[in-house]
Amino acid sequence: MAADAMTPDLELEVAAPVLGADTVVGSDRPGRRTHGIKQAGWYVLLSGLSLIVLFPIWMTLVRALSTPIAYIEAGQPVTPVEPQWDVFQRAFTEGELAQKFGITIVVTLIITAAQVGTSLLAAYAFVFLRFPLRGPLFALFMATLMLPIEVTLLVNAVTIRNLGWLDSFQGLTAPFLAAAFGTFLLRQGFLGIPLDLRDAAELDGLGHLGFLRRVAVPVTRPIIASFTLVAFLAAWNQYTWPRVAVTQQDWETIQIALKGLAARNIDQLNIGFAAAIIAAVPILILLLAFQKQIVRGLTAGAVKG
């Protein structure tokens, strides 16, 4: 009888080790349920935002694959109409994109390498060197960030023309060999390096270039990598300046070629859309491969100093 007449409290104590505290008490269930609902809500929100961002890309692909007249007659749906699977090959051939890709790659690499190099040297000078008017000079340097390309476009165009650099790599790259944004970003990274470390390196006989190569660059590598990608993307997507510096079709970059291809094929707009997708492929690959470096580098540059 004593065993059968077990009290509720004793039953609870016996069941707790077997079923677990969560099963007996259940006090954490509401909190877990709320956390799960919030997490699901964030997933739904982010998924919706992703669809909004990806929808124009999908529609570009749909327009590229669809037969133009049939697509318009069908009411411009969100799925391809009478797909032309050879459109990408036709766009690559008719637009002579191989040559345009080659010119664009060379121009982009020159601009990117020059901007990274000059930004490293300038940022190092503003942080580790002592010279008169360093603060005002840096402020003046940063003020150039407020100037759009249209402000200097005419002067640069006249200069390039007078130098005879039209339709050349010099003309396409010269105005962009330095970047104030890169100097600012790398300076923010260098500000995180203690000056005592520079003094100790100097006592060991390490000069400025040696300290830059062996200490400053390795420490700020994520920031340098992020700026390299940003500079590459900006140089690749240039349109306004190449329109000014190029007068011959053989020197057109990929962005100018896209405009010309669309203008020449008004009755076949899908070729222009296909060419735009082809031109975006290298950028997409870079962003997918180095997205973590971009975020890490820009974040680090934003919180330093």
Side-chain angles (χ1 to χ4, degrees):
M1 290 295 294
D4 295 336
M6 188 179 297
T7 63
D9 293 339
L10 186 56
E11 290 180 357
L12 206 61
E13 293 178 1
V14 174
V18 178
L19 300 178
D22 292 342
T23 305
V24 176
V25 181
S27 60
D28 292 336
R29 285 182 179 178
R32 290 183 178 181
R33 187 179 297 109
T34 303
H35 176 72
I37 294 175
K38 290 182 178 180
Q39 192 172 18
W42 277 113
Y43 281 133
V44 172
L45 176 62
L46 293 177
S47 299
L49 293 176
S50 299
L51 291 176
I52 294 175
V53 173
L54 294 175
F55 182 74
I57 301 176
W58 168 252
M59 290 305 299
T60 303
L61 180 61
V62 170
R63 292 296 300 269
L65 291 175
S66 300
T67 302
I69 297 178
Y71 182 78
I72 295 175
E73 291 177 350
Q76 302 184 9
V78 296
T79 56
V81 178
E82 299 182 12
Q84 298 179 359
W85 303 108
D86 63 336
V87 66
F88 294 101
Q89 181 180 359
R90 290 162 50 201
F92 194 85
T93 303
E94 295 181 17
E96 299 179 354
L97 298 187
Q99 180 185 7
K100 314 306 181 185
F101 265 110
I103 294 175
T104 306
I105 290 173
V106 173
V107 170
T108 301
L109 291 179
I110 292 175
I111 292 176
T112 302
Q115 287 190 2
V116 172
T118 55
S119 297
L120 279 172
L121 296 176
Y124 183 90
F126 281 122
V127 174
F128 295 104
L129 300 185
R130 298 291 181 266
F131 52 90
L133 301 177
R134 184 179 64 166
L137 283 176
F138 180 73
L140 181 62
F141 202 79
M142 291 298 99
T144 59
L145 287 173
M146 307 299 295
L147 299 177
I149 188 175
E150 291 78 11
V151 174
T152 58
L153 183 64
L154 181 59
V155 176
N156 287 336
V158 173
T159 302
I160 294 300
R161 184 180 297 273
N162 292 337
L163 292 173
W165 286 357
L166 292 176
D167 302 316
S168 66
F169 289 118
Q170 305 96 293
L172 287 169
T173 60
F176 307 98
L177 299 182
F181 173 72
T183 301
F184 169 76
L185 190 64
L186 298 182
R187 175 183 176 271
Q188 295 301 100
F190 288 161
L191 287 174
I193 302 176
L195 295 178
D196 295 340
L197 186 60
R198 172 70 193 107
D199 296 335
E202 187 175 2
L203 292 176
D204 291 337
L206 199 61
H208 289 295
L209 290 179
F211 182 78
L212 176 64
R213 184 179 69 256
R214 298 184 182 181
V215 179
V217 170
V219 169
T220 57
R221 187 172 298 169
I223 302 177
I224 296 174
S226 66
F227 172 65
T228 301
L229 292 173
V230 170
F232 186 94
L233 296 178
W236 182 273
N237 291 321
Q238 279 190 14
Y239 176 77
T240 303
W241 177 250
R243 291 283 296 177
V244 175
V246 171
T247 60
Q248 299 179 12
Q249 186 175 355
D250 293 340
W251 281 95
E252 289 181 349
T253 60
I254 188 67
Q255 304 303 331
I256 301 178
L258 294 180
K259 178 66 175 180
L261 186 62
R264 292 193 304 268
N265 296 273
I266 300 178
D267 57 336
Q268 298 180 359
L269 293 177
N270 59 332
I271 295 181
F273 285 104
I277 293 176
I278 294 174
V281 168
I283 303 301
L284 181 61
I285 294 175
L286 282 177
L287 289 177
L288 292 177
F290 299 103
Q291 57 180 329
K292 291 183 179 180
Q293 286 78 358
I294 295 177
V295 174
R296 188 184 302 118
L298 294 178
T299 305
V303 300
K304 297 287 185 182

